[in-house]
Amino acid sequence: MPKITFIGAGSTIFLRHILGDALLMPSLQDAEIALMDIDEGRLAESEIVARQLADTLKVGASIEATTSRRAALDGADFVIVSVQIGGYKPCTVIDFDIPKQYGLRQTIADTLGIGGIMRGLRTVPFLWDLCADMAELCPHALMLQYVNPMAINCWAISERFPNIRTVGLCHSVPNTAFELTHDLDIPLEDVRYRVAGINHVAFFLNFEQHMGNGSWRDLYPELRQKYADKVIPKKNPVRPRCPNLVRYEMMDQLGYFLTESSEHFAEYCPWFIKDGRDDLIDRYGIPLDEYPTRCEEQIAEWNDHFARLRAGEQMDIVASNEYAAVIMNAEMTDSPATIYGNVRNDGVISNLPSDCIVEVPCMVDSNGIQPTSIGALPPQLAAMMRTNINVQELVVAALVEENREHIFHAAMFDPHTAAELDVTQIRSMTNDLLTAHRDWLPAWTQ
């Protein structure tokens, strides 16, 4: 039976989704489950949830919780990573508060922008240490990497530990397919699509509905017409507070629909959050400071839910749209499956840099993760992605070379930051953030 290790198992809601999916798979129901986190309180909560999942499903999985990363990794077949170095408090709060003092407003701040840069600097050294332990204790294991900034993390791993098997995973592709079918009032199971790009800036290259008799209908004309007629977007079924107006506007401008939410994309470009243009914030419904708001809500919701579980409330187990269990089952049973994964490009998308990380359809079986060749993307899409890849590349260069100046360069070339601040403001803000995060960063950053 496989050994499945969760690093950052104190992310209890995430653990519940992934482990619930896994224990619904016959090939994984007797797995050895190792839960690891440095927060003993949250780890204890996750252990309770994991045992309730196994008991509810009446499966033979064994559950072990530990604060020892090496013990959790020893002999693992799959390593699922979900960590937030520095936590929501203090580090994420700092990533919002200091830029705000300079007039730089953000929505999520975990993927690109100055918030994403700082999170990458905090996270990559941890991931490198994890990879070093994996190389010693479970060299053939597959790392399922769920941590943002996804592309920066995966790129840095590929530079320092190219022999570690890893794939970055995100639910933005299936979430977006669900949102689009919701707007069009058609069944999700009736559509097919092909998506490619980089994490959070990938595009639906085609989006079609099955019409019977083997025929398929292109859904883009209907999406464009209904957006022009203001019939869509409807209220967002995934995040009701966050309308999808930014993404539909970008579909109009670039011709294709984005995979990541409007609140995310608004801070990946220079066009929607601008000083003195609150009319844009209002017109597109951009939720500034969305991530801190969401974190506070999720903490309160989980505390309430966990209290009810402790009081004996029955746990509902419903399959999620995450890919981890699908991948593990495909490798264990040699049953081919298709997922969207973040992998080193190596020519998969011919008009993006070969060493960057791309998000593309991948086949999975006992041979592992096998990316699909895409070829050249439409040039306007590749151009949009390159503005983000520039920042990713500079952060990775800073980390690999231990070059502090490249941190400033990454911030200078970030599209949103550069649209709002001048170079002296960017340097001063970056210095302030590096100082505030000193306890969470490598010594060379100071």
Side-chain angles (χ1 to χ4, degrees), residues 74-87:
D74 192 15
D77 297 288
F78 302 100
V79 178
I80 299 170
V81 188
S82 176
V83 298
Q84 189 173 356
I85 304 302

Side-chain angles (χ1 to χ4, degrees), residues 163-313:
N163 293 326
I164 292 292
R165 297 200 305 134
T166 185
V167 61
L169 299 174
C170 177
H171 49 226
S172 62
V173 173
N175 273 1
T176 301
F178 171 67
E179 292 172 61
L180 288 173
T181 55
H182 167 81
D183 279 356
L184 294 177
D185 289 318
I186 59 177
L188 179 61
E189 58 269 21
D190 285 356
V191 303
R192 70 177 182 184
Y193 47 84
R194 194 171 194 237
V195 174
I198 62 174
N199 183 237
H200 288 189
V201 190
F203 291 84
F204 278 69
L205 302 179
N206 65 278
F207 189 60
E208 299 173 322
Q209 180 183 17
H210 187 248
M211 303 304 292
N213 300 319
S215 63
W216 293 84
R217 177 173 73 100
D218 181 5
L219 290 169
Y220 265 119
E222 183 176 354
L223 282 172
R224 295 187 183 104
Q225 188 60 55
K226 287 190 172 181
Y227 178 58
D229 294 341
K230 297 183 171 24
V231 176
I232 55 176
K234 299 177 182 177
K235 190 171 184 178
N236 190 333
V238 176
R239 298 189 182 97
R241 186 169 54 236
C242 306
N244 265 329
L245 290 164
V246 167
R247 287 203 280 178
Y248 274 104
E249 181 63 31
M250 292 312 299
M251 179 188 72
D252 254 11
Q253 300 296 335
L254 297 179
Y256 298 87
F257 202 86
L258 275 159
T259 56
E260 192 43 76
S261 62
S262 288
E263 64 268 26
H264 266 290
F265 186 77
E267 63 181 10
Y268 300 161
C269 66
W271 305 310
F272 295 100
I273 306 173
K274 302 178 76 66
D275 185 39
R277 291 297 307 276
D278 285 352
D279 60 307
L280 294 173
I281 304 297
D282 295 337
R283 184 192 312 169
Y284 292 104
I286 297 169
L288 297 171
D289 297 331
E290 168 64 14
Y291 188 67
T293 300
R294 192 180 301 169
C295 286
E296 294 287 353
E297 290 174 350
Q298 288 176 343
I299 291 167
E301 289 170 4
W302 170 248
N303 288 339
D304 175 67
H305 183 63
F306 184 70
R308 287 186 278 113
L309 289 177
R310 290 296 302 268
E313 182 177 285

Side-chain angles (χ1 to χ4, degrees), residues 95-111:
D95 284 342
F96 276 85
D97 285 352
I98 289 178
K100 201 178 297 182
Q101 294 169 16
Y102 286 84
L104 182 63
R105 298 173 293 175
Q106 301 174 98
T107 56
I108 306 294
D110 70 351
T111 299

